[in-house]
């Protein structure tokens, strides 16, 4: 430790370097001319006095002055200059550690060529425009290299060169500061023209070898004003400090350089060049750049040179070799192949480094870099939102790249479906290469990738449903009930109510008539009320809601349907059951013996109440646990590729009909109908005008026929709101009005018959009485009345006074 580095075959000899640095002045303070003279004088004095074995070249504008001094003193100069012209003067003592800067823009052109070939497009139609300075070997040769390569590859190439120190328009302002002159060059490269993707619109590849400040700023501003949307933009300034100061401008810009912090080259002291820079900050507070890495690598390169020269010698004589055999040592440097923290180093015929390619760079989103993917995922999971800044990523050489080159840039891409090219963004956004697309406004759409300047307006009757950035317009086919169909339903309800109310009026107007009295007014009234309630369910069948509407009211309508229909239907049949059972009980007792048998109406109310309560318990349990709800169910989607309208067909339905509730309800209905018909069968001997066995049987058959026809039709048309409503409303209407008519029309006909002898029983057992108003009967006549039918407000009594004169058979 502290001995230096080991050399020789046995590595038992050690060598240490002495590094001498002299500050020759600041050109910004003393001027370039004076600085140049002083630089030469100081370096010449150092070489004369110290007689060093190597010279570490400087990274200044006067580096070329060092070459003559290296030749004068016959000392190897390791220059830090990139342009190849620097090494073309056959100076045997000038070597260059920098890679060829002429290759800086070539990765960008190569990526563009790969993209065009991949798209199977013509390279000859791709414009390549290059603006470059003629002064400074770096600017000139760098852009001339891409011009020559573009012409060789067959691109439509235009070279626009200028002398920064000249005055092209003779206005007294140097070209490099003349805004009008610089704008003229920008117009040549990318003139104002179509930006909407028409045949005349172009996305040129733009290269500029210019300086920061007025040159770069003026050219970019002019391109923005012209609506320029290049596919590739390469600037010398993209890797300079200018880029850090113009973060809003440089997204997707490309540039080149000698080194990138992503390079993973290492040596025995540091794992990467970035570690060298980090050490400079921590140890000395010095924030270096790639020059720091190169300057650190040069002494280690010299050590590798010496090691290589003496690697097979047992007793290396370093001093003697440098004094007496320097030319041989210089030649040994020509064939040196070694690894440094700057990368592989070897020298070509011009004695400049050809060990690796230059660093191709692009300002890319950090999420595009493999190195930043894990950071992206971590921050996304922790914060839930990720700021994806642009970073200067390494895109070449391949073995050191952290991401692929993004070509073409976002500004040259077609806008995605649901977007359009925004002129405002093209002309006003600072970032030249970022996307110029904007989302389609409300009620406009774009179906495919395009460069259109506006989105298409939705056809009449369609919308984007309050969304922006739509790729199609939506037209809803809601299958709502037609107004005419709803009117028909209301007519059904009105007719059914009129029937119910009409028969109710008839009952009470003829309550003294035996047909009505014997028909038991209380239960006939309940029958009318049941049909009135049942038919009200037709109104609830019309409940609907749109897609965007609150479906609460529609759901309540759905929930009301089983309440109205079931309660109404059960009330109808249970009233018939109670009425028939009452008659059955009276006649059962009256046939066996002569006595007064009294069966009161209120004794039969439980026959009505129990089924109603049972149905209500089921319905309330259903409502409380898992009620019926209204929902809109999508039937189909049909996108018209010509109009861009997506037609969504849907239908509103009452859903959640659960068999655990529906089954018991149906069972109650069926059981009630069966019991009613059984009881009526038992009183079938009573004349039809006093009981309804025949008509109820007919009504039951009638309802079954309606259901047998209606249910299959309902399943067939369940996706059509109109047809479904017609079937359901029709079944309810026909059931109610049919039952009313079958019960009441015969009674009305009997009531209108001429008064006379009325027969109670059919067949052999008959009991007759003369229909005579009670007020016209004397007491002796009353004593022979064989059947007394009390008014509805009194208890029903049957008094049988059987006599030989009246009874027949």
């Amino acid at each position: 430790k502290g001995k230096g580095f080991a050399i020789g075959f046995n590595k038992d000899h050690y060598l240490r370097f002495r590094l001498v640095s002299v500050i020759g002045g600041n050109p910004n303070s003393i001027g370039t001319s004076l600085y140049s003279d002083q630089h030469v004088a100081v370096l010449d004095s150092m070489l004369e006095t110290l007689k060093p074995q190597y010279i570490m070249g400087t990274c200044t504008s006067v580096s070329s002055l060092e070459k003559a001094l290296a030749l004068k003193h016959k000392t190897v100069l390791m220059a830090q200059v990139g342009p190849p012209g620097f090494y073309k003067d056959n100076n045997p003592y000038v070597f260059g550690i920098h890679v060829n800067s002429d290759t800086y823009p070539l990765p960008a052109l190569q990526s563009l060529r790969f993209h065009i070939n991949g798209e199977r497009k013509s390279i000859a139609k791709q414009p390549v425009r290059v603006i470059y300075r003629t002064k400074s070997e770096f600017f000139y040769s760098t852009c001339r290299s891409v011009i020559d390569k573009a012409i060789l590859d067959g691109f439509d190439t235009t070279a626009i060169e200028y002398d920064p120190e000249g005055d092209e328009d003779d206005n007294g302002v140097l070209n490099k500061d003349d805004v009008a002159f610089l704008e003229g060059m920008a117009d040549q490269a990318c003139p104002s023209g179509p930006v909407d993707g028409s045949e005349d619109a172009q996305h040129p590849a733009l290269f500029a070898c210019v300086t920061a400040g007025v040159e770069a700023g003026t050219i970019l501003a002019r391109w923005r004003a012209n609506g320029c949307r290049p596919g590739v933009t390469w600037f010398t300034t993209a890797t300079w400090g200018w880029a850090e100061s113009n973060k809003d401008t440089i997204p997707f810009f490309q540039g080149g350089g000698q080194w990138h912090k992503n390079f993973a080259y290492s040596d025995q002291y540091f794992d990467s060049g970035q570690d060298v820079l980090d050490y400079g900050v921590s140890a000395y507070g010095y924030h270096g750049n790639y020059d720091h890495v190169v300057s650190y690598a040069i002494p280690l390169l010299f050590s590798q040179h010496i090691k290589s020269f003496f690697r097979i010698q047992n007793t290396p004589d370093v001093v003697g070799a440098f004094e007496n055999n320097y030319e041989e040592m210089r030649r040994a440097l020509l064939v040196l192949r070694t690894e440094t923290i700057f990368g592989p180093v070897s020298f070509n015929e011009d004695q400049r480094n050809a060990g690796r390619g230059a660093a191709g760079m692009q300002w890319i989103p950090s999420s595009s870099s493999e190195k930043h993917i894990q950071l992206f995922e971590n921050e996304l999971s922790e914060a839930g939102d990720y700021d994806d800044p642009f970073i200067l990523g390494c895109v070449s050489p391949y073995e050191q790249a952290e991401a692929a080159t993004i070509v073409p840039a976002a500004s040259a891409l077609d806008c995605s479906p649901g977007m359009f090219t925004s002129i405002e963004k093209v002309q006003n956004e600072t970032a030249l290469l970022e996307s110029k697309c904007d989302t389609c406004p409300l009620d406009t759409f774009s179906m495919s990738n395009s460069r259109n300047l506006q989105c298409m307006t939705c056809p009449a009757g369609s919308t984007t449903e309050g969304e922006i950035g739509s790729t199609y317009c939506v037209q809803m086919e809601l299958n709502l009930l037609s107004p005419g169909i709803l009117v028909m339903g209301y007519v059904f309800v009105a007719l059914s109510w009129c029937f119910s109310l009409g028969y109710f009026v008839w009952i009470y107007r003829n309550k003294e008539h035996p047909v009505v009295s014997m028909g038991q007014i209380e239960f006939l009234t309940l029958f009318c009320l049941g049909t009135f309630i049942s038919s009200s369910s037709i109104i609830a069948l019309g409940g609907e809601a749109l897609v965007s509407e609150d479906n609460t009211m529609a759901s309540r309508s759905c929930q009301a349907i089983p309440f109205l229909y079931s309660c109404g239907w059960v009330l109808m049949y249970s009233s018939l059951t109670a009425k028939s059972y009452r008659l059955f009980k009276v006649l059962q007792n009256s046939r066996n013996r002569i006595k007064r048998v009294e069966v009161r109406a209120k004794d039969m109310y439980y026959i009505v109440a129990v089924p109603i309560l049972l149905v209500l318990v089921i319905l309330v349990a259903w409502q409380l646990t898992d009620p019926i709800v209204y929902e809109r169910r999508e039937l189909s989607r049909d996108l018209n590729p010509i109009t861009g309208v997506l037609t969504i067909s849907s239908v509103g339905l009452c859903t959640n009909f659960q068999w655990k509730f529906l089954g018991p309800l149906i069972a109650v209905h069926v059981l009630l109908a069966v019991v009613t018909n059984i009881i009526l069968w038992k009183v079938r001997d009573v004349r039809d005008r006093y009981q309804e066995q025949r008509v109820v049987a007919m009504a039951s058959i009638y309802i079954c026929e309606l259901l047998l026809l209606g249910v299959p039709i309902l399943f067939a048309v369940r996706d059509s709101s109109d047809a479904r409503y017609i079937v359901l409303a029709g079944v309810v209407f026909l059931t109610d009005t049919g039952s009313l008519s079958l019960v009441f029309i015969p009674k009305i006909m009997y009531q209108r018959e001429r008064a006379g002898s009325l027969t109670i029983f059919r067949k052999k057992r008959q009991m007759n009485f003369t229909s005579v108003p009670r007020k016209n009967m004397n007491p002796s006549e009353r004593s022979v009345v064989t059947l007394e039918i009390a008014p509805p407000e009194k208890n029903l009594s049957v008094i049988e006074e059987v006599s030989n004169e009246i009874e027949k058979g």
Side-chain angles (χ1 to χ4, degrees), residues 396-713:
S396 68
Y398 173 79
E399 64 275 8
Q400 298 295 327
E402 61 183 303
T405 306
I406 299 176
V407 174
S411 64
L413 295 175
D414 292 350
C415 293
S416 302
M419 307 191 82
F420 71 102
T421 302
S422 170
I423 290 295
E424 182 180 358
K425 283 190 173 184
V426 170
Q427 296 179 341
N428 298 328
E429 279 196 351
T430 305
L432 184 68
L433 299 183
E434 282 201 284
S435 174
K436 305 307 176 187
C437 300
D438 205 350
T439 53
C440 291
L442 193 67
D443 293 335
T444 63
F445 72 102
S446 172
M447 293 184 65
S448 58
N449 292 342
S450 72
R451 301 176 188 176
N452 296 332
L453 299 180
Q454 61 183 5
C455 297
M456 292 184 288
T457 303
C458 288
S462 63
T463 69
T464 58
E465 297 185 307
E467 299 291 333
I468 61 174
S470 294
T471 57
Y472 51 79
C473 293
V474 177
Q475 186 175 43
M476 302 298 297
E477 281 189 0
L478 299 178
N479 289 302
L480 297 174
L481 293 174
S482 305
I485 298 298
L486 279 173
V487 169
M488 183 200 71
Y490 296 147
V491 169
F492 282 172
V493 175
L495 288 174
S496 183
W497 284 357
C498 287
F499 277 115
S500 299
L501 294 173
Y503 290 134
F504 176 79
V505 172
W506 177 82
I507 290 170
Y508 280 91
R509 289 186 61 182
N510 299 278
K511 62 183 177 181
E512 296 289 341
H513 195 280
V515 172
V516 178
S517 299
M518 192 64 180
Q520 304 177 58
I521 295 174
E522 300 94 331
F523 299 111
L524 290 176
T525 301
L526 289 176
F527 187 85
C528 291
L529 179 61
T531 58
F532 190 93
I533 295 173
S534 176
S535 59
S536 299
S537 62
I538 297 177
I539 299 175
L541 286 172
E544 293 181 302
L546 301 178
V547 174
S548 58
E549 284 184 344
D550 183 8
N551 62 1
T552 301
M553 294 305 297
S555 293
R556 289 176 179 172
S557 294
C558 290
Q559 294 156 13
I561 294 171
F563 275 91
L564 294 171
Y565 185 74
S566 292
C567 290
W569 196 93
V570 169
L571 187 59
M572 289 165 51
Y573 261 84
S574 63
S575 63
L576 288 176
T577 304
K579 171 182 176 302
S580 302
Y581 186 67
R582 186 183 182 199
L583 181 60
F584 168 72
K585 292 293 290 183
V586 170
L587 296 178
Q588 187 181 40
N589 287 282
S590 66
R591 284 170 178 164
N592 298 324
R593 55 190 180 278
I594 299 176
K595 68 174 184 177
R596 181 182 180 86
V597 180
E598 182 178 334
V599 181
R600 294 172 298 181
K602 65 180 181 181
D603 294 334
M604 298 293 106
Y605 287 161
Y606 74 93
I607 296 177
V608 177
V610 170
I612 290 292
L613 288 174
L614 183 58
V615 166
L616 285 174
V617 168
I618 296 171
L619 291 172
V620 170
W622 191 353
Q623 178 67 23
L624 293 178
T625 56
D626 200 0
I628 301 172
V629 294
Y630 178 91
E631 69 175 30
R632 184 155 288 280
R633 190 168 295 170
E634 186 175 308
L635 300 177
S636 64
R637 286 176 174 244
D638 182 24
L639 179 62
N640 188 321
I642 298 176
T643 63
V645 175
L646 176 68
T647 302
I648 301 177
S649 179
S650 64
V651 64
L653 296 169
C654 295
T655 60
N656 203 29
F657 288 96
Q658 300 190 38
W659 280 104
K660 62 182 178 181
F661 298 109
L662 199 57
L665 279 178
I666 295 174
V668 172
H669 286 221
V670 173
L671 181 62
L672 197 57
V674 171
V675 170
T676 302
N677 280 279
I678 290 174
I679 294 174
L680 286 169
W681 176 258
K682 291 182 180 294
V683 296
R684 66 187 181 279
D685 290 340
V686 177
R687 298 291 294 179
D688 291 343
R689 68 185 69 196
Y690 303 117
Q691 53 87 17
E692 296 82 11
Q693 184 270 330
R694 183 174 299 176
V695 298
V696 170
M698 291 176 61
S700 298
I701 295 172
Y702 171 70
I703 292 172
C704 289
E705 289 177 345
L706 285 175
L707 292 176
L708 287 173
L709 289 172
V711 171
I713 295 174

Side-chain angles (χ1 to χ4, degrees), residues 747-762:
K747 292 186 180 298
I748 294 173
M749 294 174 62
Y750 291 139
Q751 180 263 331
R752 291 186 176 181
E753 288 181 356
R754 180 173 54 84
S757 177
L758 301 179
T759 304
I760 304 298
F761 291 98
R762 292 194 295 255

